[in-house]
């Protein structure tokens, strides 16, 4: 059966939209993970938590389908390891920066990956960003500022967190630039293992810490399987179909999900959160509108 160009473009448009929905779901799961991390931190230090969830998720993927991991080839291995290194380094830097900043300051600086992602994509690969996506980036950043900005003092914590935001931007750009639709499973495993190895550097001084209670192990299992194994798999699949800048805009929804879940457990959102949410929803609309006119290329 011959596929016409119109059919291919239509398929690409729907695939792009499904990928955006998948990224939004990942942002939702990571929003709930923020609550889980708050509950788990009294039992385990941050470096151990990050290393265990990434290494555990990567190891599970290898155990479940070893052939799918070891057969992806050198190019896909490098394409998975590079964003994994960025992800692990970004997580370590943000965690270290939190020693010197309030939660709101850290959250705002880390969320600047929304602005940094299209800049990194252009600087590294000369990726053109459409006016609609640039507008979405600006609107989403404004929404994040309304939600979390309370003034930021320039110091070591600020620089560490900004470096972490740059690492997150690099991870998104590399996934979009080199993502291989045929090797999503293997690339996800390599990415998570690479992130876990980098995060393990944070254990050199303190050693490995483990949860003390059954619920603590349960939350660690949730973070490992659902928030890491499944959701980074979704991100890897989606970013083979969605540009990095559009991905960053969708990921800006994560603070909204944090506020929603906080409300469900008894902490209602404030006026600033609701106002910022309007900005972020508008930014997502701009990204979705892009797919109606400029679908991602689909091979014929």
């Amino acid at each position: 059966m011959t596929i016409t160009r119109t059919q291919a473009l239509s398929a690409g448009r729907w695939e792009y939209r499904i990928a955006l929905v998948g990224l939004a779901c990942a942002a939702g799961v990571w929003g709930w993970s923020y609550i889980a991390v708050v509950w788990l931190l009294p039992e385990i230090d941050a470096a151990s938590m990050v290393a265990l969830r990434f290494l555990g998720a990567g190891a599970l993927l290898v155990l479940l389908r070893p052939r799918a991991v070891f057969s992806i080839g050198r190019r896909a291995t490098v394409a998975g390891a590079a964003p994994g290194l960025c992800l692990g380094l970004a997580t370590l830097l943000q965690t270290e920066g939190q020693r010197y900043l309030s939660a709101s300051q850290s959250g705002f600086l880390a969320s600047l990956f929304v602005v940094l992602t299209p800049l990194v994509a252009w600087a590294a690969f000369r990726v053109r960003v459409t006016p609609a996506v640039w507008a979405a980036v600006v609107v989403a950043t404004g929404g994040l500022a309304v939600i979390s900005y309370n003034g930021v003092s320039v110091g070591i914590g600020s620089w560490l967190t900004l470096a972490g935001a740059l690492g997150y931007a690099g991870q998104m750009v590399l996934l979009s630039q080199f993502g291989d639709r045929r090797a999503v499973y293997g690339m996800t495993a390599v990415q998570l293992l690479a992130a876990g190895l980098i995060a393990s550097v944070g254990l050199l001084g303190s050693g490995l810490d483990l949860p003390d209670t059954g619920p603590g192990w349960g939350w660690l299992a949730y973070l490992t399987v659902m928030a890491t194994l499944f959701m980074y798999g979704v991100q890897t699949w989606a970013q083979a179909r969605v540009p990095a800048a559009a991905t960053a805009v969708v990921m800006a929804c994560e603070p909204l999900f944090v506020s929603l879940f906080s409300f469900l457990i008894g902490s209602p959102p404030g006026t600033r959160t609701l106002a910022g949410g309007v900005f972020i929803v508008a930014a997502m609309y701009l990204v979705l509108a892009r797919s109606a006119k400029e679908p991602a290329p689909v091979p014929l």
Side-chain angles (χ1 to χ4, degrees):
M1 178 180 177
T2 302
I3 299 176
T4 67
R5 179 171 180 80
T6 300
Q7 290 172 323
L9 290 175
S10 178
R13 184 178 297 117
W14 277 106
E15 197 170 60
Y16 178 90
R17 289 173 174 173
I18 293 170
L20 289 179
V21 171
L23 290 170
C25 290
V29 171
W30 289 332
W32 176 251
S33 298
Y34 182 89
I35 309 297
V37 166
V38 170
W39 287 339
L40 186 55
L41 274 177
E43 297 190 33
I44 181 174
D45 64 73
S48 295
M49 186 192 307
V50 173
L52 286 171
R53 62 182 284 195
F54 282 118
L55 289 175
L60 278 173
L61 287 174
V62 175
L63 289 173
L64 289 172
R65 293 181 61 193
R67 183 173 298 179
V69 178
F70 295 118
S71 64
I72 61 175
R74 181 180 301 176
R75 184 183 183 280
T77 299
V78 174
L85 294 175
C86 288
L87 177 61
L89 184 60
T91 305
L92 272 181
L93 289 169
Q94 183 186 5
T95 302
E96 184 63 24
Q98 285 181 285
R99 296 177 184 270
Y100 308 95
L101 299 172
S102 68
S104 60
Q105 290 174 331
S106 175
F108 172 71
L109 290 172
S111 68
L112 290 180
F113 72 81
V114 178
V115 178
L116 293 172
T117 298
L119 295 176
V120 171
W122 178 83
F125 302 107
R126 291 297 187 268
V127 175
R128 186 179 71 87
V129 179
T130 65
V133 174
W134 270 122
V137 167
V138 173
V139 172
T141 304
L144 290 167
V146 171
I147 291 172
S148 59
Y149 182 73
N150 286 313
V152 177
S153 58
V154 178
I156 182 64
S158 300
W159 291 115
L160 287 171
T161 307
L162 279 173
L166 185 62
Y168 290 128
Q171 183 237 7
M172 292 183 188
V173 170
L174 289 171
L175 279 179
S176 287
Q177 195 69 23
F178 300 111
D180 189 339
R181 300 182 183 207
R182 300 164 299 178
V184 168
Y185 188 97
M187 283 184 61
T188 301
V190 171
Q191 180 186 188
L192 296 180
L193 289 172
L197 289 174
I198 290 296
S200 298
V201 174
L203 303 178
L204 295 179
S206 60
L208 183 65
D209 192 16
L210 296 173
D212 301 319
T213 65
W217 280 103
W219 285 119
L220 181 60
Y222 166 81
L223 291 172
T224 300
V225 177
M226 190 65 186
T228 305
L229 188 156
F230 283 116
M231 291 304 104
Y232 279 105
V234 168
Q235 184 190 15
T236 303
W237 176 87
Q239 285 210 243
R241 296 156 175 83
V242 176
T247 298
V249 172
V250 177
M251 291 304 178
C253 291
E254 187 174 334
L256 290 183
F257 285 111
V258 174
S259 298
L260 172 62
F261 294 132
S262 296
F263 170 71
L264 293 177
I265 62 174
S267 179
T271 303
R272 289 179 58 175
T273 299
L274 296 175
V278 172
F279 280 86
I280 294 174
V281 171
M284 284 194 64
Y285 173 79
L286 289 171
V287 170
L288 285 169
R290 175 260 182 208
S291 67
K293 297 181 179 180
E294 302 177 25
V298 176
L300 296 176

